[in-house]
Amino acid sequence: MLAPIAWRTPPRHYGPWELVTSLLTEALVARGIDVTLFATQDSVTAGTLAGVVPRGYEEDTAIDAKVWEYRHLSHVFARAGEFDLIHNQADFPAHAFAPLVPTPMVTTIHGFSSDRILPMYKPFEDRVHFVAISAADRHPSLRYAATIHHGIRLDEFPFDAEGSDDLLFFGRMHPDKGAAEAIQVALSTGRRLDLYGIVQDQGYFDREVMPHVDGERIRYLGPVGGEARLRALGKAKALLHLINFDEPFGLSVIEAMACGTPVIAMDRGSMPELVAPGTGILVRSTGEAIAALAEVEAIDRAACRAHVEAHFSVEAMADKYVALYEQILS
């Protein structure tokens, strides 16, 4: 299992690719599959850890991302002959090594960012088995082996039957993720909003977020992990996911629903695949999001939990990957 090296696997706070890599790795190990996780040296796994990168480059500025990424990849492919299959979770640079080894390879595409990356995918589609994380994220000119939604461990997300009157934003501070739109909804409805997430675009954060943060009505609480993160996901009236891009998945959406929190999301990207009727509301504007708050009252929080349990468990994700591995190896 080839993990990215931006963050530790699993991440301490932020790191969605690393989180999914960890979830799948541990689920496979629990089934008795022999998995070697190639990740940063401070990563944690029940499998066998193999690492040459001391720490994630987003956590330690002394780690040069480009230098250590290729050192990481060289380490994996030098040992390719030891494995039945290589599962790449670390994007397209690994494809450069794929023709050099006979070991079958799967690449989970954690978001097809633009046509500019197609030259590192299309020429390798006869060599690498591509997995899309949503139907919405499939590129029309690329051949895929499967579409497999991410899954989470339900037992790690406590159900909150009550929630609160407060609103929740959970994501990067970046124009794509819609923090400014969430603030607009909160200010227009007089509700308190808690914002969680790393600052990825400092200029946007300084212009669009911080001028509204007063510590009372609008609160910015930074990145969060552990028990505090779980409480935040459950103690809300609704998660505001008013994205400004075609998001390929959105882990915070299913995590919030697992805790019983309905979702108000922009009708873009994978959101129609995640938010079903009775678990949240899809909208096309901030105005519609403001109006949707009245409808949230009628949503059964238990139905949100049941939806995730039925469609987005880590067990379901692992089942689909194992079926794909078996198909490839046969």
Side-chain angles (χ1 to χ4, degrees):
M1 188 71 70
L2 173 56
I5 57 163
W7 311 93
R8 187 192 78 169
T9 300
R12 294 176 176 85
H13 301 295
Y14 179 78
W17 295 17
E18 289 84 354
L19 176 58
V20 171
T21 303
S22 176
L23 289 170
L24 179 57
T25 297
E26 304 314 302
L28 296 176
V29 172
R31 293 169 182 231
I33 297 173
D34 184 6
V35 182
T36 298
L37 174 66
F38 288 83
T40 60
Q41 290 179 342
D42 60 347
S43 294
V44 180
T45 179
T48 301
L49 179 63
V52 292
V53 186
R55 291 165 298 282
Y57 60 77
E58 292 287 2
E59 299 181 88
D60 185 345
T61 56
I63 303 293
D64 184 291
K66 189 172 184 179
V67 169
W68 282 97
E69 181 174 48
Y70 283 95
R71 179 69 182 89
H72 179 55
L73 292 173
S74 177
H75 182 216
V76 175
F77 285 94
R79 295 182 54 187
E82 301 175 30
F83 306 108
D84 297 316
L85 184 143
I86 295 171
H87 189 155
N88 167 39
Q89 305 268 7
D91 217 352
F92 58 79
H95 299 164
F97 293 82
L100 307 179
V101 299
T103 310
M105 183 169 160
V106 171
T107 290
T108 295
I109 305 175
H110 290 271
F112 204 97
S113 56
S114 76
D115 285 347
R116 292 185 301 170
I117 67 173
L118 198 58
M120 278 305 294
Y121 282 93
K122 186 66 178 176
F124 301 94
E125 64 183 359
D126 291 330
R127 177 66 188 85
V128 181
H129 304 269
F130 297 128
V131 174
I133 59 173
S134 66
D137 198 56
R138 280 179 171 248
H139 191 281
S141 69
L142 196 62
R143 186 167 68 248
Y144 291 84
T147 297
I148 300 177
H149 288 136
H150 293 331
I152 60 173
R153 293 194 191 99
L154 267 294
D155 59 351
E156 293 185 356
F157 292 86
F159 175 65
D160 188 324
E162 301 298 327
S164 73
D165 289 330
D166 299 341
L167 303 176
L168 174 66
F169 171 89
F170 214 101
R172 295 173 284 121
M173 297 297 148
H174 185 282
D176 282 351
K177 298 295 279 187
E181 287 77 5
I183 290 171
Q184 185 179 342
V185 171
L187 294 176
S188 298
T189 58
R191 291 181 185 267
R192 184 161 68 179
L193 171 68
D194 287 335
L195 302 117
Y196 293 88
I198 64 168
V199 176
Q200 193 172 60
D201 185 323
Q202 190 66 50
Y204 170 79
F205 181 69
D206 293 341
R207 290 189 313 271
E208 305 292 338
V209 177
M210 280 308 296
H212 302 287
V213 173
D214 58 10
E216 287 293 331
R217 183 66 67 186
I218 308 294
R219 303 192 299 178
Y220 172 63
L221 300 158
V224 66
E227 291 298 320
R229 180 170 175 270
L230 298 175
R231 284 195 300 272
L233 287 166
K235 286 290 182 185
K237 176 63 70 178
L239 173 75
L240 299 179
H241 201 70
L242 306 179
I243 51 175
N244 293 304
F245 76 121
D246 294 327
E247 188 165 32
F249 195 74
L251 274 171
S252 63
V253 171
I254 61 170
E255 289 172 343
M257 289 190 294
C259 295
T261 299
V263 178
I264 298 174
M266 284 292 180
D267 190 2
R268 298 190 60 169
S270 62
M271 291 304 107
E273 297 175 53
L274 308 188
V275 182
T279 66
I281 302 163
L282 297 174
V283 299
R284 294 189 175 273
S285 68
T286 305
E288 286 188 12
I290 292 169
L293 272 177
E295 301 176 49
V296 165
E297 299 287 348
I299 291 178
D300 180 2
R301 294 176 68 91
C304 298
R305 172 78 171 197
H307 174 63
V308 176
E309 189 169 8
H311 300 284
F312 302 107
S313 69
V314 72
E315 291 79 15
M317 175 177 67
D319 284 344
K320 292 172 185 176
Y321 274 113
V322 169
L324 176 60
Y325 299 157
E326 290 174 344
Q327 176 187 331
I328 291 167
L329 293 175
S330 67

